[in-house]
Amino acid sequence: MQTDVLIVLGSPNSAAGVLSDTATSRLNCCIKHYKKDMLVLCTGGWGAHFNTAEQAHAFYAKRYLITQGIPENAFLDLALSQHTVDDAVKTLAIISKLNNIRLTVITSDYHVKRVKLIFETILANYPIQFIGAKSNLDKKTYDSLVAHEEKAMQSITKNGLYY
């Protein structure tokens, strides 16, 4: 029997550990897709661009999911990553101990293309599906993030993926 693993990618939280709207949209998407006997892996450590709090972002993410009803025993180790490539690398280290798994990576809608490119390279030996949680951002912010993602993908395409 195959075990499903939901991987929720990190996103910003405040210095006090309050999750951003982006983070909660991804986490709520995880809750919506979670079913009994699935495993959950939260990513996100620290970084000036997303988390300067005392605890790792993944700690706050896991705590939120537990308060919303996902049992503590459903969680794999936290992937204390600093960026999207690191998410994939640290995820691989954690899931490589498991057999017969199927992955679902949850990120934001504007981030899916790059995540797919990265995860399908680093975790090439695993069946993976991707879900883009709907962003509730204003058009200017959303368009800025889409432009950032396009630029990042062009860089990967041009220079390769280093990890």
Side-chain angles (χ1 to χ4, degrees):
M1 185 172 140
Q2 205 165 39
T3 301
D4 285 299
V5 180
L6 298 174
I7 301 163
V8 187
L9 299 192
S11 51
N13 55 259
S14 74
V18 177
L19 296 165
S20 66
D21 288 344
T22 300
T24 54
S25 72
R26 293 177 184 186
L27 294 166
N28 289 335
C29 185
C30 177
I31 293 162
K32 182 177 148 195
H33 288 87
Y34 177 80
K35 299 207 180 1
K36 189 178 183 302
D37 297 327
M38 286 183 165
L39 297 173
V40 178
L41 192 160
C42 297
T43 76
W46 296 268
H49 61 292
F50 75 100
N51 180 25
T52 58
E54 182 179 325
Q55 296 285 344
H57 172 78
F59 168 85
Y60 299 115
K62 177 181 175 182
R63 184 175 69 185
Y64 178 84
L65 293 172
I66 289 171
T67 67
Q68 299 302 309
I70 295 181
E72 184 142 12
N73 66 358
F75 290 88
L76 295 169
D77 291 342
L78 303 177
L80 303 181
S81 50
Q82 296 182 344
H83 49 77
T84 308
V85 174
D86 204 25
D87 286 336
V89 170
K90 288 194 164 68
T91 292
L92 178 60
I94 293 167
I95 66 167
S96 64
K97 302 168 189 137
L98 304 173
N99 294 314
N100 203 20
I101 58 173
R102 180 175 48 208
L103 310 176
T104 299
V105 180
I106 300 170
T107 189
S108 298
D109 48 10
Y110 60 83
H111 196 221
V112 171
K113 282 186 192 174
R114 182 160 59 108
V115 169
K116 191 172 186 327
L117 178 65
I118 292 166
F119 273 72
E120 286 181 344
T121 301
I122 296 173
L123 289 95
N125 295 327
Y126 295 89
I128 311 176
Q129 65 177 350
F130 300 88
I131 298 174
K134 180 164 177 21
S135 301
N136 297 314
L137 303 167
D138 62 79
K139 182 170 173 25
K140 183 178 178 186
T141 303
Y142 183 84
D143 290 347
S144 173
L145 288 167
V146 168
H148 168 78
E149 291 300 315
E150 289 298 326
K151 187 175 177 185
M153 285 186 55
Q154 287 171 6
S155 177
I156 291 169
T157 303
K158 180 180 177 189
N159 301 316
L161 191 58
Y162 297 97
Y163 57 96

